[in-house]
Amino acid sequence: MATRTKSLPTAPKRQTAGKKDPPLRSGPYRFTRAVLGYFWFLTTIVGATVYLQTTLVLYHAADVWTHWGAILLVVPLAVGYVMRLANIPYGGWVLLIGGLSAATVVYPWYHDYWFEPPPLYAAAVYAAITAGVASIPLLPFKRLAGALWHYLTYRNKAKRRSNSRTGREPMFGSAKYSATVDTLQLVIAIASLVISLISIGVLSMP
């Protein structure tokens, strides 16, 4: 006598039509996150700078190098790293506006706090340092490494095959614009890091 076996129910089909985008892709949600990132950058940079300069806790605990290194290097790097973890959108604009805002807040306070007020260009240097150094954790290192690898491999192939069908290929291939922007961000970040280290050395001199 034959026995009947029950067939397993088929898995329901996923409905793709009419599927809405997640909230992260919506414009207002991204703008709200960018505003929150801006306030995080501003309050942390200004708060840490004013606190360390008022209390001189690191100056007394360690030395003047540690004091200025924390203000001009460690704090901006930490802020940028948190922004990377939080995936803050429009990071470039957040850093640019945040750096200018931080300099606008800190410079008048420094002008009244210091016995010898700093020159006006010091505010621009401070804005460039905080925004540029904070952008280092936000750099697209994978894309930069991929663009560099593409350029090196293509240059080796171009030496073997001088007459190609497509002619001379751009330095960064089809993603030339994106790679150019990434490279510009890298140059700005390195320049800001160098300015930060020079400023720490100058301010730490007796």
Side-chain angles (χ1 to χ4, degrees):
M1 183 177 180
T3 58
R4 295 181 180 180
T5 58
K6 295 183 179 180
S7 59
L8 297 176
T10 58
K13 296 182 179 180
R14 297 181 178 178
Q15 297 180 357
T16 57
K19 185 178 180 180
K20 297 182 179 179
D21 292 336
L24 183 60
R25 299 180 183 177
S26 63
Y29 185 77
R30 289 172 60 86
F31 179 77
T32 303
R33 288 175 59 85
V35 172
L36 293 176
Y38 162 76
F39 282 110
W40 155 253
F41 178 90
L42 181 62
T43 54
T44 306
I45 292 292
V46 174
T49 301
V50 173
Y51 172 76
L52 292 175
Q53 190 64 34
T54 303
T55 61
L56 297 178
V57 58
L58 293 179
Y59 176 81
H60 295 296
D63 51 24
V64 66
W65 295 88
T66 306
H67 172 77
W68 288 113
I71 293 177
L72 299 178
L73 186 61
V74 177
V75 172
L77 281 175
V79 172
Y81 184 71
V82 173
M83 290 180 59
R84 180 182 181 89
L85 293 179
N87 195 18
I88 300 297
Y90 312 115
W93 290 105
V94 171
L95 295 178
L96 177 61
I97 300 174
L100 294 175
S101 301
T104 304
V105 175
V106 171
Y107 178 76
W109 179 81
Y110 266 109
H111 194 275
D112 298 333
Y113 180 79
W114 279 12
F115 180 75
E116 295 183 1
L120 184 59
Y121 70 84
V125 174
Y126 178 78
I129 289 175
T130 53
V133 174
S135 68
I136 294 177
L138 302 179
L139 290 174
F141 293 103
K142 291 184 178 180
R143 289 207 306 264
L144 287 169
L148 179 61
W149 175 257
H150 174 79
Y151 169 66
L152 294 176
T153 53
Y154 172 77
R155 187 176 64 176
N156 294 332
K157 291 179 181 179
K159 291 180 180 179
R160 306 171 191 170
R161 185 180 57 186
S162 58
N163 297 325
S164 59
R165 181 176 58 86
T166 57
R168 185 177 181 181
E169 186 179 346
M171 176 178 178
F172 292 102
S174 59
K176 182 179 179 180
Y177 176 77
S178 177
T180 303
V181 173
D182 294 342
T183 306
L184 180 61
Q185 293 176 353
L186 177 62
V187 171
I188 294 174
I190 294 176
S192 302
L193 180 61
V194 172
I195 296 174
S196 174
L197 295 176
I198 294 175
S199 300
I200 293 172
V202 171
L203 292 171
S204 301
M205 292 176 61

